[in-house]
Amino acid sequence: MKTIGIIGGMGPLATVHLYERIVLRTKALRDQDHIRVLIDSNTNIPDRTKAIISDGEDPTVELIKSAKILESSGADFLIMPCNTAHYFINTIQEGVNIPFINMVEETVKYTAEKYGSDTVVGILATDGTIKSKIYENYYARLGIKTVIPGKSQADVMKFIYDVIKKGNYNEGTALMFNAVKELKEMGATSFLLGCTELSSAQYLYKFEGNFINPIEVLTEKSIEFAGGQLN
């Protein structure tokens, strides 16, 4: 089987959850049936949102460094559990000679297959992901309508940075569901967890509904691309 290389550290918890999901979703009877996974949890990568919406430090230097480390260590292809960082995916890809699974693109394809092209996707994500229109542009290519939070976007950012990234899990999900409520009022019928902290929140709090989890999509695509079997 092919070896997976994970560009991680954005954040560390999302990296842990991606690796855990790969292990749990791989059909295996023994250690040797699992896929070899290399992880560079590079916490030196500058904040992606700040780089996109303000004058934050360019993260591509560290992103490419991680990609090259994984390639030279034996990774056959790369994955990256950070939605916002996919804004820079073409630049990273140019720095290596191995394939890169695009989590954003695969998530959008999954949405069309799961909910159909007439669904209205409410996007829950960082300011950087929303401002860059990463997901909106991919969804538009498939004719899928999207909506984004208005006043509740500040709640989404607070939930991502002050609850999940800081490990204040006992604060609960009230902030995020303020945004879900607003998106429903705007016509959303499905909800994209467009930040890996939000994907992690789904695993932590076990909330259910028409949520689209990019980490889960990436997990399945990675196992299949590596030559493993889905459990």
Side-chain angles (χ1 to χ4, degrees):
M1 290 189 288
K2 294 183 176 70
T3 298
I4 300 173
I6 299 177
I7 301 176
M10 305 175 285
L13 183 63
T15 305
V16 169
H17 279 146
L18 174 59
Y19 178 52
E20 179 182 53
R21 296 307 297 168
I22 290 171
V23 173
L24 292 175
R25 294 295 309 280
T26 300
K27 185 176 182 179
L29 298 177
R30 55 180 185 161
D31 292 348
Q32 291 75 22
D33 294 331
H34 282 279
I35 301 163
R36 186 179 183 187
V37 179
L38 304 176
I39 302 171
D40 184 14
S41 187
N42 186 355
T43 53
N44 291 324
I45 299 170
D47 188 279
R48 284 67 59 198
T49 293
K50 289 181 180 178
I52 294 170
I53 69 174
S54 60
D55 58 352
E57 185 180 352
D58 181 5
T60 58
V61 173
E62 289 293 334
L63 286 165
I64 293 171
K65 185 185 296 184
S66 282
K68 288 183 174 180
I69 287 171
L70 292 165
E71 181 181 31
S72 64
S73 298
D76 294 302
F77 67 98
L78 299 173
I79 57 177
M80 180 169 60
C82 176
N83 294 271
T84 311
H86 278 71
Y87 179 79
F88 308 99
I89 191 170
N90 291 334
T91 302
I92 306 167
Q93 179 69 83
E94 290 171 1
V96 292
N97 297 303
I98 54 177
F100 203 141
I101 295 179
N102 187 324
M103 179 172 68
V104 174
E105 183 176 22
E106 295 298 338
T107 298
V108 169
K109 290 178 183 176
Y110 167 84
T111 303
E113 294 168 1
K114 174 77 173 179
Y115 297 104
S117 59
D118 59 344
T119 191
V120 177
V121 180
I123 297 179
L124 298 157
T126 64
D127 290 347
T129 295
I130 288 177
K131 182 173 182 179
S132 67
K133 297 186 180 296
I134 302 170
Y135 273 104
E136 289 95 325
N137 291 336
Y138 274 101
Y139 277 121
R141 293 173 194 171
L142 297 184
I144 296 175
K145 183 179 177 181
T146 57
V147 291
I148 60 174
K151 61 183 181 181
S152 64
Q153 177 59 23
D155 291 334
V156 177
M157 287 293 285
K158 187 173 179 62
F159 181 74
I160 290 169
Y161 281 89
D162 293 346
V163 177
I164 303 301
K165 281 188 179 292
K166 290 185 178 180
N168 296 323
Y169 309 129
N170 61 344
E171 296 293 325
T173 58
L175 287 166
M176 191 189 78
F177 281 100
N178 286 341
V180 171
K181 181 181 178 181
E182 183 183 22
L183 291 170
K184 281 183 179 179
E185 293 170 352
M186 298 169 71
T189 54
S190 57
F191 305 91
L192 173 73
L193 300 173
C195 174
T196 43
E197 272 69 39
L198 301 180
S199 291
S200 291
Q202 185 172 33
Y203 300 131
L204 289 168
Y205 298 104
K206 303 186 186 305
F207 50 82
E208 298 179 353
N210 292 343
F211 291 103
I212 303 157
N213 190 328
I215 281 187
E216 204 63 28
V217 174
L218 185 59
T219 294
E220 293 185 3
K221 290 299 177 181
S222 299
I223 293 170
E224 291 173 352
F225 194 81
Q229 296 185 53
L230 284 168
N231 195 4

